[in-house]
Amino acid sequence: MKFVELLESKTLTETEMQDHILTFCLQNGTAAELFDKNKNSLYKVDLSQSILAENPVYSRVLTASFISGDENYTLDITISHNKGSEVTEVIKEMYPLILIIAFILSAVIAVIYSKHIAKPIIEISNIARRMEKLDMTWKCKIDRTDEIGLLACSLNNMAIQLDKTLKELDGANMKLRSDMEKERMQAKQRSDFFMSISHELKTPLTILKGETEGMLQNLTPFDNRDKYLLHSMQVIETMEKMIKDILAAARTQMINDNGVMRSADIGKIVVDIIQNQDELARSKNIQIHMALEKDLFVILEQELFSKALANVINNAITHSSEDSSIYITTQRSGTECILTVKNVNSTIPDDEIQHVFEPFYKVDKSRTGNGTGLGLYIVKSFLEYHGFRFGIANQENSVIFTIVMPLCYDGPDLMGADKKQQ
């Protein structure tokens, strides 16, 4: 078409036009034929067979009309191709280049594959092996929006849920083991407790049986019945007190976590107990000194705690010598309330102080007192029920009992607080 435009742009004679056509055919190896407006052949040239190989594969004729010198002409150009010898030669020449290009493309594709497909899959596979060992200390950092990215996101979510579930299971297992150990210890304590009960009740029952049989048979040592009846009554009163203490100690085994826990003023509880113990203290001329900080509120089951604290103060009065003093203090220490009961001029042997909380244990080996040996055991049971820390120790020729309790808040009685303070 450019050649036709060239012919149209010039005013050529037929001889000049033929020369241009011949030159075009020589340059391109084609055949050409020029026609006038009546379709008469004016000029024909065919150089395709002399330039190309024989037996052309196909020919294509291109026809264009143009005007030159006010005359209309038609030019047919015939393009012939052989069996592809030129293409074959070109391919042979470019074969090394084609191999290099193919190698480079393969390398690029391999890198892209390893970076975008194989590497994430290998990382996910490694993570799956770690999950198999229940190792959740990882995070898949593949940030993609395709299927591999969705798989990585699913692994992360699954790992979070599995880790949460495993921690919950570990916590539940630890609590279960703790509960089982606690139940085992409680079962052993109950067994030991009942064995101690049978042993402690055997002695007074034997005494009662012997004295009663002696009086019934009018044996000589039991002629003075009033004396032995009075002694029997004392033994019965001791047994009655022991049975009450046994029932009090057993009460903690029947109280569950639904016990009524309320906020109470520790100072008020101490004052109420001292008023009830005042007569016993006066009988021994014992001075009770109190230093109670105000507005110390603790969540507790008031009846049980009052019983425990009353036993502690009663023990202090009972085991203090006449004309001595007892010091009771309450004070705030951070978020805790510390209550101490100290009786002076009285100590517990160091080798026995660790046994004072055992049931029926008496520091007085002769057991001539009125105690049953259950007082501090009851104190221990009730304070452990509340979760309070406590202890007893010798200190400067005196015995001090300490209770440490968490404070709730400074305010009035907490109505409806029915959950045990842990």
mmCIF file of all heavy atoms in Angstrom, residues 241 277 280-281 284 286 310-326 341-349 352 356 361-365 367-376 392 394 397-399:
data_model
loop_
_atom_site.group_PDB
_atom_site.id
_atom_site.type_symbol
_atom_site.label_atom_id
_atom_site.label_comp_id
_atom_site.label_asym_id
_atom_site.label_seq_id
_atom_site.Cartn_x
_atom_site.Cartn_y
_atom_site.Cartn_z
ATOM 1 N N LYS A 241 -19.460 -31.924 127.005
ATOM 2 C CA LYS A 241 -18.690 -30.865 126.362
ATOM 3 C C LYS A 241 -17.915 -31.416 125.154
ATOM 4 O O LYS A 241 -17.819 -30.776 124.095
ATOM 5 C CB LYS A 241 -17.725 -30.224 127.352
ATOM 6 C CG LYS A 241 -16.969 -29.027 126.786
ATOM 7 C CD LYS A 241 -16.108 -28.397 127.863
ATOM 8 C CE LYS A 241 -15.453 -27.114 127.330
ATOM 9 N NZ LYS A 241 -14.679 -27.295 126.142
ATOM 10 N N GLN A 277 -16.670 -13.572 127.540
ATOM 11 C CA GLN A 277 -15.567 -14.213 128.262
ATOM 12 C C GLN A 277 -15.145 -13.412 129.493
ATOM 13 O O GLN A 277 -14.228 -13.824 130.207
ATOM 14 C CB GLN A 277 -14.350 -14.361 127.321
ATOM 15 C CG GLN A 277 -14.597 -15.173 126.064
ATOM 16 C CD GLN A 277 -14.711 -16.651 126.350
ATOM 17 O OE1 GLN A 277 -14.224 -17.133 127.371
ATOM 18 N NE2 GLN A 277 -15.366 -17.387 125.451
ATOM 19 N N LEU A 280 -15.144 -15.282 132.996
ATOM 20 C CA LEU A 280 -14.032 -16.219 133.178
ATOM 21 C C LEU A 280 -12.730 -15.471 133.441
ATOM 22 O O LEU A 280 -11.932 -15.884 134.285
ATOM 23 C CB LEU A 280 -13.891 -17.102 131.927
ATOM 24 C CG LEU A 280 -12.731 -18.096 131.931
ATOM 25 C CD1 LEU A 280 -12.868 -19.089 133.088
ATOM 26 C CD2 LEU A 280 -12.663 -18.849 130.597
ATOM 27 N N ALA A 281 -12.515 -14.355 132.737
ATOM 28 C CA ALA A 281 -11.294 -13.571 132.950
ATOM 29 C C ALA A 281 -11.274 -12.978 134.355
ATOM 30 O O ALA A 281 -10.226 -12.963 135.028
ATOM 31 C CB ALA A 281 -11.193 -12.473 131.896
ATOM 32 N N LYS A 284 -10.125 -15.198 137.242
ATOM 33 C CA LYS A 284 -8.677 -15.400 137.371
ATOM 34 C C LYS A 284 -7.929 -14.067 137.462
ATOM 35 O O LYS A 284 -6.698 -14.039 137.419
ATOM 36 C CB LYS A 284 -8.147 -16.191 136.168
ATOM 37 C CG LYS A 284 -8.762 -17.575 136.031
ATOM 38 C CD LYS A 284 -8.188 -18.347 134.866
ATOM 39 C CE LYS A 284 -6.749 -18.701 135.097
ATOM 40 N NZ LYS A 284 -6.223 -19.590 134.032
ATOM 41 N N ILE A 286 -7.674 -11.672 135.371
ATOM 42 C CA ILE A 286 -6.894 -11.457 134.152
ATOM 43 C C ILE A 286 -7.396 -10.194 133.470
ATOM 44 O O ILE A 286 -8.600 -10.015 133.260
ATOM 45 C CB ILE A 286 -7.020 -12.661 133.195
ATOM 46 C CG1 ILE A 286 -6.353 -13.900 133.823
ATOM 47 C CG2 ILE A 286 -6.386 -12.360 131.839
ATOM 48 C CD1 ILE A 286 -6.525 -15.157 133.007
ATOM 49 N N ALA A 310 -13.679 -17.189 119.651
ATOM 50 C CA ALA A 310 -14.011 -17.410 121.062
ATOM 51 C C ALA A 310 -13.152 -18.535 121.638
ATOM 52 O O ALA A 310 -12.699 -18.449 122.791
ATOM 53 C CB ALA A 310 -15.496 -17.729 121.206
ATOM 54 N N ASN A 311 -12.912 -19.595 120.862
ATOM 55 C CA ASN A 311 -12.053 -20.683 121.337
ATOM 56 C C ASN A 311 -10.626 -20.198 121.568
ATOM 57 O O ASN A 311 -9.968 -20.592 122.535
ATOM 58 C CB ASN A 311 -12.058 -21.826 120.338
ATOM 59 C CG ASN A 311 -13.294 -22.696 120.461
ATOM 60 O OD1 ASN A 311 -14.130 -22.468 121.323
ATOM 61 N ND2 ASN A 311 -13.436 -23.670 119.590
ATOM 62 N N VAL A 312 -10.128 -19.339 120.665
ATOM 63 C CA VAL A 312 -8.767 -18.815 120.821
ATOM 64 C C VAL A 312 -8.662 -17.985 122.096
ATOM 65 O O VAL A 312 -7.729 -18.160 122.905
ATOM 66 C CB VAL A 312 -8.375 -17.972 119.591
ATOM 67 C CG1 VAL A 312 -7.041 -17.284 119.821
ATOM 68 C CG2 VAL A 312 -8.297 -18.843 118.348
ATOM 69 N N ILE A 313 -9.615 -17.072 122.299
ATOM 70 C CA ILE A 313 -9.575 -16.212 123.492
ATOM 71 C C ILE A 313 -9.799 -17.033 124.755
ATOM 72 O O ILE A 313 -9.148 -16.825 125.795
ATOM 73 C CB ILE A 313 -10.617 -15.091 123.355
ATOM 74 C CG1 ILE A 313 -10.256 -14.191 122.161
ATOM 75 C CG2 ILE A 313 -10.719 -14.280 124.631
ATOM 76 C CD1 ILE A 313 -11.275 -13.123 121.846
ATOM 77 N N ASN A 314 -10.709 -18.016 124.702
ATOM 78 C CA ASN A 314 -10.945 -18.878 125.862
ATOM 79 C C ASN A 314 -9.692 -19.665 126.225
ATOM 80 O O ASN A 314 -9.358 -19.810 127.414
ATOM 81 C CB ASN A 314 -12.109 -19.818 125.560
ATOM 82 C CG ASN A 314 -12.455 -20.705 126.749
ATOM 83 O OD1 ASN A 314 -11.898 -21.792 126.920
ATOM 84 N ND2 ASN A 314 -13.375 -20.227 127.590
ATOM 85 N N ASN A 315 -8.981 -20.183 125.197
ATOM 86 C CA ASN A 315 -7.722 -20.885 125.458
ATOM 87 C C ASN A 315 -6.700 -19.969 126.101
ATOM 88 O O ASN A 315 -5.959 -20.357 127.002
ATOM 89 C CB ASN A 315 -7.154 -21.455 124.155
ATOM 90 C CG ASN A 315 -7.734 -22.819 123.840
ATOM 91 O OD1 ASN A 315 -8.558 -23.340 124.579
ATOM 92 N ND2 ASN A 315 -7.325 -23.383 122.721
ATOM 93 N N ALA A 316 -6.648 -18.705 125.616
ATOM 94 C CA ALA A 316 -5.698 -17.746 126.182
ATOM 95 C C ALA A 316 -5.995 -17.487 127.654
ATOM 96 O O ALA A 316 -5.077 -17.431 128.486
ATOM 97 C CB ALA A 316 -5.742 -16.448 125.389
ATOM 98 N N ILE A 317 -7.289 -17.353 127.982
ATOM 99 C CA ILE A 317 -7.656 -17.118 129.383
ATOM 100 C C ILE A 317 -7.389 -18.364 130.226
ATOM 101 O O ILE A 317 -6.831 -18.289 131.325
ATOM 102 C CB ILE A 317 -9.142 -16.707 129.482
ATOM 103 C CG1 ILE A 317 -9.374 -15.383 128.755
ATOM 104 C CG2 ILE A 317 -9.577 -16.602 130.932
ATOM 105 C CD1 ILE A 317 -10.835 -14.978 128.653
ATOM 106 N N THR A 318 -7.761 -19.527 129.687
ATOM 107 C CA THR A 318 -7.624 -20.778 130.439
ATOM 108 C C THR A 318 -6.162 -21.088 130.746
ATOM 109 O O THR A 318 -5.827 -21.547 131.851
ATOM 110 C CB THR A 318 -8.250 -21.931 129.647
ATOM 111 O OG1 THR A 318 -9.634 -21.641 129.395
ATOM 112 C CG2 THR A 318 -8.138 -23.240 130.418
ATOM 113 N N HIS A 319 -5.269 -20.856 129.791
ATOM 114 C CA HIS A 319 -3.868 -21.229 129.960
ATOM 115 C C HIS A 319 -2.994 -20.090 130.461
ATOM 116 O O HIS A 319 -1.772 -20.211 130.496
ATOM 117 C CB HIS A 319 -3.304 -21.761 128.638
ATOM 118 C CG HIS A 319 -3.935 -23.041 128.197
ATOM 119 N ND1 HIS A 319 -5.048 -23.089 127.397
ATOM 120 C CD2 HIS A 319 -3.621 -24.336 128.472
ATOM 121 C CE1 HIS A 319 -5.395 -24.358 127.162
ATOM 122 N NE2 HIS A 319 -4.537 -25.125 127.811
ATOM 123 N N SER A 320 -3.618 -18.977 130.843
ATOM 124 C CA SER A 320 -2.868 -17.883 131.454
ATOM 125 C C SER A 320 -2.929 -18.020 132.972
ATOM 126 O O SER A 320 -3.956 -18.449 133.540
ATOM 127 C CB SER A 320 -3.443 -16.519 131.035
ATOM 128 O OG SER A 320 -3.283 -16.320 129.657
ATOM 129 N N SER A 321 -1.841 -17.659 133.612
ATOM 130 C CA SER A 321 -1.815 -17.693 135.076
ATOM 131 C C SER A 321 -2.642 -16.540 135.637
ATOM 132 O O SER A 321 -2.943 -15.572 134.931
ATOM 133 C CB SER A 321 -0.375 -17.597 135.574
ATOM 134 O OG SER A 321 0.241 -16.412 135.102
ATOM 135 N N GLU A 322 -3.031 -16.653 136.904
ATOM 136 C CA GLU A 322 -3.826 -15.592 137.527
ATOM 137 C C GLU A 322 -3.028 -14.290 137.593
ATOM 138 O O GLU A 322 -1.800 -14.296 137.637
ATOM 139 C CB GLU A 322 -4.261 -16.024 138.934
ATOM 140 C CG GLU A 322 -5.227 -17.211 138.911
ATOM 141 C CD GLU A 322 -5.752 -17.533 140.307
ATOM 142 O OE1 GLU A 322 -5.348 -16.836 141.252
ATOM 143 O OE2 GLU A 322 -6.568 -18.457 140.427
ATOM 144 N N ASP A 323 -3.769 -13.191 137.596
ATOM 145 C CA ASP A 323 -3.198 -11.837 137.670
ATOM 146 C C ASP A 323 -2.298 -11.523 136.471
ATOM 147 O O ASP A 323 -1.363 -10.720 136.567
ATOM 148 C CB ASP A 323 -2.391 -11.656 138.976
ATOM 149 C CG ASP A 323 -3.239 -11.912 140.202
ATOM 150 O OD1 ASP A 323 -4.423 -11.517 140.195
ATOM 151 O OD2 ASP A 323 -2.725 -12.518 141.155
ATOM 152 N N SER A 324 -2.553 -12.154 135.331
ATOM 153 C CA SER A 324 -1.767 -11.875 134.129
ATOM 154 C C SER A 324 -2.602 -11.023 133.161
ATOM 155 O O SER A 324 -3.687 -10.554 133.521
ATOM 156 C CB SER A 324 -1.318 -13.179 133.462
ATOM 157 O OG SER A 324 -2.447 -13.944 133.097
ATOM 158 N N SER A 325 -2.084 -10.848 131.967
ATOM 159 C CA SER A 325 -2.767 -9.986 131.001
ATOM 160 C C SER A 325 -2.848 -10.663 129.638
ATOM 161 O O SER A 325 -2.007 -11.496 129.284
ATOM 162 C CB SER A 325 -2.023 -8.644 130.854
ATOM 163 O OG SER A 325 -2.012 -7.943 132.082
ATOM 164 N N ILE A 326 -3.900 -10.291 128.910
ATOM 165 C CA ILE A 326 -4.084 -10.747 127.532
ATOM 166 C C ILE A 326 -4.245 -9.517 126.655
ATOM 167 O O ILE A 326 -4.996 -8.589 126.988
ATOM 168 C CB ILE A 326 -5.312 -11.668 127.410
ATOM 169 C CG1 ILE A 326 -5.084 -12.959 128.191
ATOM 170 C CG2 ILE A 326 -5.609 -11.984 125.950
ATOM 171 C CD1 ILE A 326 -6.279 -13.875 128.200
ATOM 172 N N VAL A 341 -3.921 -12.395 119.277
ATOM 173 C CA VAL A 341 -4.313 -12.642 120.668
ATOM 174 C C VAL A 341 -3.055 -13.119 121.396
ATOM 175 O O VAL A 341 -2.505 -14.171 121.062
ATOM 176 C CB VAL A 341 -5.433 -13.698 120.766
ATOM 177 C CG1 VAL A 341 -5.794 -13.946 122.227
ATOM 178 C CG2 VAL A 341 -6.660 -13.252 119.981
ATOM 179 N N LYS A 342 -2.615 -12.356 122.382
ATOM 180 C CA LYS A 342 -1.350 -12.636 123.068
ATOM 181 C C LYS A 342 -1.590 -12.772 124.569
ATOM 182 O O LYS A 342 -2.141 -11.871 125.194
ATOM 183 C CB LYS A 342 -0.356 -11.497 122.792
ATOM 184 C CG LYS A 342 0.994 -11.666 123.457
ATOM 185 C CD LYS A 342 1.889 -10.496 123.089
ATOM 186 C CE LYS A 342 3.260 -10.604 123.736
ATOM 187 N NZ LYS A 342 4.129 -9.458 123.391
ATOM 188 N N ASN A 343 -1.225 -13.917 125.137
ATOM 189 C CA ASN A 343 -1.306 -14.095 126.589
ATOM 190 C C ASN A 343 0.118 -14.239 127.149
ATOM 191 O O ASN A 343 0.888 -15.090 126.708
ATOM 192 C CB ASN A 343 -2.179 -15.286 126.978
ATOM 193 C CG ASN A 343 -1.741 -16.575 126.304
ATOM 194 O OD1 ASN A 343 -1.485 -16.596 125.112
ATOM 195 N ND2 ASN A 343 -1.663 -17.653 127.080
ATOM 196 N N VAL A 344 0.440 -13.393 128.104
ATOM 197 C CA VAL A 344 1.804 -13.324 128.642
ATOM 198 C C VAL A 344 1.989 -14.342 129.761
ATOM 199 O O VAL A 344 1.016 -14.939 130.267
ATOM 200 C CB VAL A 344 2.115 -11.905 129.153
ATOM 201 C CG1 VAL A 344 2.039 -10.902 128.017
ATOM 202 C CG2 VAL A 344 1.141 -11.506 130.265
ATOM 203 N N ASN A 345 3.259 -14.547 130.109
ATOM 204 C CA ASN A 345 3.637 -15.484 131.184
ATOM 205 C C ASN A 345 3.129 -16.897 130.887
ATOM 206 O O ASN A 345 2.718 -17.628 131.811
ATOM 207 C CB ASN A 345 3.118 -15.010 132.540
ATOM 208 C CG ASN A 345 3.709 -13.664 132.954
ATOM 209 O OD1 ASN A 345 4.863 -13.377 132.640
ATOM 210 N ND2 ASN A 345 2.909 -12.842 133.618
ATOM 211 N N SER A 346 3.149 -17.266 129.611
ATOM 212 C CA SER A 346 2.704 -18.607 129.237
ATOM 213 C C SER A 346 3.397 -18.995 127.933
ATOM 214 O O SER A 346 3.447 -18.196 127.000
ATOM 215 C CB SER A 346 1.178 -18.645 129.049
ATOM 216 O OG SER A 346 0.766 -19.913 128.614
ATOM 217 N N THR A 347 3.923 -20.187 127.879
ATOM 218 C CA THR A 347 4.583 -20.675 126.662
ATOM 219 C C THR A 347 4.185 -22.117 126.399
ATOM 220 O O THR A 347 3.702 -22.818 127.308
ATOM 221 C CB THR A 347 6.119 -20.588 126.776
ATOM 222 O OG1 THR A 347 6.538 -21.352 127.909
ATOM 223 C CG2 THR A 347 6.588 -19.150 126.923
ATOM 224 N N ILE A 348 4.401 -22.550 125.162
ATOM 225 C CA ILE A 348 4.154 -23.934 124.756
ATOM 226 C C ILE A 348 5.499 -24.542 124.385
ATOM 227 O O ILE A 348 6.278 -23.911 123.668
ATOM 228 C CB ILE A 348 3.193 -23.989 123.556
ATOM 229 C CG1 ILE A 348 1.856 -23.324 123.896
ATOM 230 C CG2 ILE A 348 2.968 -25.428 123.109
ATOM 231 C CD1 ILE A 348 0.916 -23.220 122.718
ATOM 232 N N PRO A 349 5.813 -25.738 124.881
ATOM 233 C CA PRO A 349 7.095 -26.367 124.509
ATOM 234 C C PRO A 349 7.260 -26.411 122.992
ATOM 235 O O PRO A 349 6.320 -26.699 122.255
ATOM 236 C CB PRO A 349 6.983 -27.774 125.113
ATOM 237 C CG PRO A 349 6.033 -27.609 126.255
ATOM 238 C CD PRO A 349 5.046 -26.575 125.815
ATOM 239 N N GLU A 352 6.092 -29.345 120.993
ATOM 240 C CA GLU A 352 4.664 -29.651 121.014
ATOM 241 C C GLU A 352 3.818 -28.615 120.270
ATOM 242 O O GLU A 352 2.662 -28.889 119.946
ATOM 243 C CB GLU A 352 4.166 -29.746 122.462
ATOM 244 C CG GLU A 352 4.811 -30.884 123.249
ATOM 245 C CD GLU A 352 4.168 -31.064 124.608
ATOM 246 O OE1 GLU A 352 3.151 -30.397 124.875
ATOM 247 O OE2 GLU A 352 4.674 -31.871 125.394
ATOM 248 N N VAL A 356 -0.476 -28.681 118.284
ATOM 249 C CA VAL A 356 -1.616 -28.147 119.047
ATOM 250 C C VAL A 356 -2.902 -28.130 118.235
ATOM 251 O O VAL A 356 -3.992 -28.072 118.821
ATOM 252 C CB VAL A 356 -1.299 -26.724 119.574
ATOM 253 C CG1 VAL A 356 -0.162 -26.769 120.573
ATOM 254 C CG2 VAL A 356 -0.981 -25.781 118.419
ATOM 255 N N TYR A 361 -5.435 -33.347 121.041
ATOM 256 C CA TYR A 361 -4.060 -33.177 121.542
ATOM 257 C C TYR A 361 -4.087 -32.174 122.691
ATOM 258 O O TYR A 361 -4.676 -31.103 122.588
ATOM 259 C CB TYR A 361 -3.128 -32.679 120.446
ATOM 260 C CG TYR A 361 -1.679 -32.644 120.887
ATOM 261 C CD1 TYR A 361 -0.892 -33.778 120.789
ATOM 262 C CD2 TYR A 361 -1.135 -31.485 121.423
ATOM 263 C CE1 TYR A 361 0.433 -33.759 121.206
ATOM 264 C CE2 TYR A 361 0.192 -31.456 121.836
ATOM 265 C CZ TYR A 361 0.958 -32.598 121.739
ATOM 266 O OH TYR A 361 2.265 -32.578 122.168
ATOM 267 N N LYS A 362 -3.443 -32.558 123.786
ATOM 268 C CA LYS A 362 -3.383 -31.693 124.954
ATOM 269 C C LYS A 362 -1.932 -31.510 125.363
ATOM 270 O O LYS A 362 -1.179 -32.466 125.463
ATOM 271 C CB LYS A 362 -4.158 -32.301 126.131
ATOM 272 C CG LYS A 362 -5.657 -32.380 125.926
ATOM 273 C CD LYS A 362 -6.327 -32.940 127.161
ATOM 274 C CE LYS A 362 -7.843 -33.029 126.982
ATOM 275 N NZ LYS A 362 -8.502 -33.584 128.196
ATOM 276 N N VAL A 363 -1.581 -30.229 125.554
ATOM 277 C CA VAL A 363 -0.239 -29.957 126.067
ATOM 278 C C VAL A 363 -0.124 -30.483 127.487
ATOM 279 O O VAL A 363 0.918 -30.977 127.916
ATOM 280 C CB VAL A 363 0.054 -28.441 126.013
ATOM 281 C CG1 VAL A 363 1.423 -28.142 126.603
ATOM 282 C CG2 VAL A 363 -0.033 -27.952 124.572
ATOM 283 N N ASP A 364 -1.229 -30.415 128.236
ATOM 284 C CA ASP A 364 -1.272 -30.951 129.597
ATOM 285 C C ASP A 364 -1.409 -32.469 129.517
ATOM 286 O O ASP A 364 -2.485 -33.007 129.302
ATOM 287 C CB ASP A 364 -2.466 -30.341 130.349
ATOM 288 C CG ASP A 364 -2.569 -30.867 131.778
ATOM 289 O OD1 ASP A 364 -1.597 -31.483 132.248
ATOM 290 O OD2 ASP A 364 -3.627 -30.647 132.408
ATOM 291 N N LYS A 365 -0.297 -33.187 129.648
ATOM 292 C CA LYS A 365 -0.309 -34.642 129.498
ATOM 293 C C LYS A 365 -1.151 -35.335 130.558
ATOM 294 O O LYS A 365 -1.659 -36.430 130.349
ATOM 295 C CB LYS A 365 1.127 -35.184 129.563
ATOM 296 C CG LYS A 365 2.046 -34.603 128.501
ATOM 297 C CD LYS A 365 1.533 -34.873 127.114
ATOM 298 C CE LYS A 365 2.473 -34.313 126.058
ATOM 299 N NZ LYS A 365 1.944 -34.492 124.708
ATOM 300 N N ARG A 367 -3.965 -34.402 131.597
ATOM 301 C CA ARG A 367 -5.377 -34.268 131.212
ATOM 302 C C ARG A 367 -6.276 -34.030 132.409
ATOM 303 O O ARG A 367 -7.384 -34.497 132.485
ATOM 304 C CB ARG A 367 -5.865 -35.487 130.420
ATOM 305 C CG ARG A 367 -5.018 -35.772 129.176
ATOM 306 C CD ARG A 367 -5.678 -36.734 128.262
ATOM 307 N NE ARG A 367 -4.852 -36.962 127.081
ATOM 308 C CZ ARG A 367 -5.302 -37.447 125.954
ATOM 309 N NH1 ARG A 367 -6.562 -37.765 125.855
ATOM 310 N NH2 ARG A 367 -4.504 -37.620 124.922
ATOM 311 N N THR A 368 -5.752 -33.288 133.355
ATOM 312 C CA THR A 368 -6.557 -33.005 134.546
ATOM 313 C C THR A 368 -7.494 -31.834 134.309
ATOM 314 O O THR A 368 -8.419 -31.618 135.075
ATOM 315 C CB THR A 368 -5.633 -32.687 135.736
ATOM 316 O OG1 THR A 368 -4.779 -31.581 135.364
ATOM 317 C CG2 THR A 368 -4.773 -33.884 136.077
ATOM 318 N N GLY A 369 -7.272 -31.063 133.267
ATOM 319 C CA GLY A 369 -8.124 -29.912 133.001
ATOM 320 C C GLY A 369 -9.456 -30.331 132.423
ATOM 321 O O GLY A 369 -9.742 -31.505 132.184
ATOM 322 N N ASN A 370 -10.286 -29.319 132.184
ATOM 323 C CA ASN A 370 -11.622 -29.575 131.636
ATOM 324 C C ASN A 370 -11.638 -29.572 130.118
ATOM 325 O O ASN A 370 -12.672 -29.779 129.513
ATOM 326 C CB ASN A 370 -12.606 -28.520 132.165
ATOM 327 C CG ASN A 370 -12.805 -28.645 133.674
ATOM 328 O OD1 ASN A 370 -12.795 -29.759 134.199
ATOM 329 N ND2 ASN A 370 -12.961 -27.505 134.346
ATOM 330 N N GLY A 371 -10.514 -29.284 129.480
ATOM 331 C CA GLY A 371 -10.469 -29.218 128.030
ATOM 332 C C GLY A 371 -10.624 -30.585 127.385
ATOM 333 O O GLY A 371 -10.288 -31.614 127.964
ATOM 334 N N THR A 372 -11.108 -30.562 126.152
ATOM 335 C CA THR A 372 -11.298 -31.815 125.409
ATOM 336 C C THR A 372 -10.194 -32.038 124.374
ATOM 337 O O THR A 372 -10.155 -33.097 123.758
ATOM 338 C CB THR A 372 -12.651 -31.780 124.680
ATOM 339 O OG1 THR A 372 -12.650 -30.693 123.742
ATOM 340 C CG2 THR A 372 -13.792 -31.613 125.657
ATOM 341 N N GLY A 373 -9.367 -31.050 124.162
ATOM 342 C CA GLY A 373 -8.335 -31.182 123.138
ATOM 343 C C GLY A 373 -8.847 -30.918 121.737
ATOM 344 O O GLY A 373 -8.152 -31.170 120.755
ATOM 345 N N LEU A 374 -10.086 -30.402 121.632
ATOM 346 C CA LEU A 374 -10.673 -30.126 120.314
ATOM 347 C C LEU A 374 -10.764 -28.640 120.001
ATOM 348 O O LEU A 374 -11.133 -28.272 118.897
ATOM 349 C CB LEU A 374 -12.074 -30.732 120.226
ATOM 350 C CG LEU A 374 -12.150 -32.254 120.087
ATOM 351 C CD1 LEU A 374 -13.601 -32.714 120.194
ATOM 352 C CD2 LEU A 374 -11.556 -32.705 118.775
ATOM 353 N N GLY A 375 -10.452 -27.795 120.971
ATOM 354 C CA GLY A 375 -10.627 -26.352 120.785
ATOM 355 C C GLY A 375 -9.861 -25.813 119.594
ATOM 356 O O GLY A 375 -10.440 -25.179 118.697
ATOM 357 N N LEU A 376 -8.554 -26.030 119.552
ATOM 358 C CA LEU A 376 -7.755 -25.501 118.451
ATOM 359 C C LEU A 376 -8.000 -26.261 117.151
ATOM 360 O O LEU A 376 -7.808 -25.704 116.069
ATOM 361 C CB LEU A 376 -6.271 -25.533 118.818
ATOM 362 C CG LEU A 376 -5.853 -24.516 119.895
ATOM 363 C CD1 LEU A 376 -4.372 -24.631 120.178
ATOM 364 C CD2 LEU A 376 -6.199 -23.088 119.470
ATOM 365 N N ILE A 392 0.311 -20.048 115.415
ATOM 366 C CA ILE A 392 0.558 -19.850 116.846
ATOM 367 C C ILE A 392 2.049 -19.990 117.090
ATOM 368 O O ILE A 392 2.720 -20.824 116.462
ATOM 369 C CB ILE A 392 -0.249 -20.868 117.689
ATOM 370 C CG1 ILE A 392 -0.148 -20.541 119.168
ATOM 371 C CG2 ILE A 392 0.178 -22.296 117.404
ATOM 372 C CD1 ILE A 392 -1.097 -21.342 120.028
ATOM 373 N N ASN A 394 5.499 -18.994 120.094
ATOM 374 C CA ASN A 394 6.006 -18.423 121.347
ATOM 375 C C ASN A 394 6.721 -17.122 121.037
ATOM 376 O O ASN A 394 7.432 -17.009 120.029
ATOM 377 C CB ASN A 394 6.975 -19.387 122.026
ATOM 378 C CG ASN A 394 6.276 -20.637 122.524
ATOM 379 O OD1 ASN A 394 5.208 -20.561 123.125
ATOM 380 N ND2 ASN A 394 6.866 -21.804 122.255
ATOM 381 N N ASN A 397 8.333 -14.913 126.257
ATOM 382 C CA ASN A 397 7.630 -15.450 127.426
ATOM 383 C C ASN A 397 6.114 -15.295 127.297
ATOM 384 O O ASN A 397 5.402 -15.023 128.277
ATOM 385 C CB ASN A 397 8.120 -14.766 128.714
ATOM 386 C CG ASN A 397 7.695 -15.545 129.961
ATOM 387 O OD1 ASN A 397 7.604 -16.778 129.939
ATOM 388 N ND2 ASN A 397 7.422 -14.838 131.051
ATOM 389 N N SER A 398 5.619 -15.473 126.097
ATOM 390 C CA SER A 398 4.180 -15.379 125.865
ATOM 391 C C SER A 398 3.835 -16.210 124.631
ATOM 392 O O SER A 398 4.712 -16.634 123.878
ATOM 393 C CB SER A 398 3.756 -13.921 125.663
ATOM 394 O OG SER A 398 4.416 -13.375 124.542
ATOM 395 N N VAL A 399 2.545 -16.443 124.470
ATOM 396 C CA VAL A 399 2.047 -17.177 123.304
ATOM 397 C C VAL A 399 1.179 -16.221 122.497
ATOM 398 O O VAL A 399 0.293 -15.553 123.055
ATOM 399 C CB VAL A 399 1.238 -18.417 123.713
ATOM 400 C CG1 VAL A 399 0.681 -19.119 122.483
ATOM 401 C CG2 VAL A 399 2.090 -19.375 124.527
#
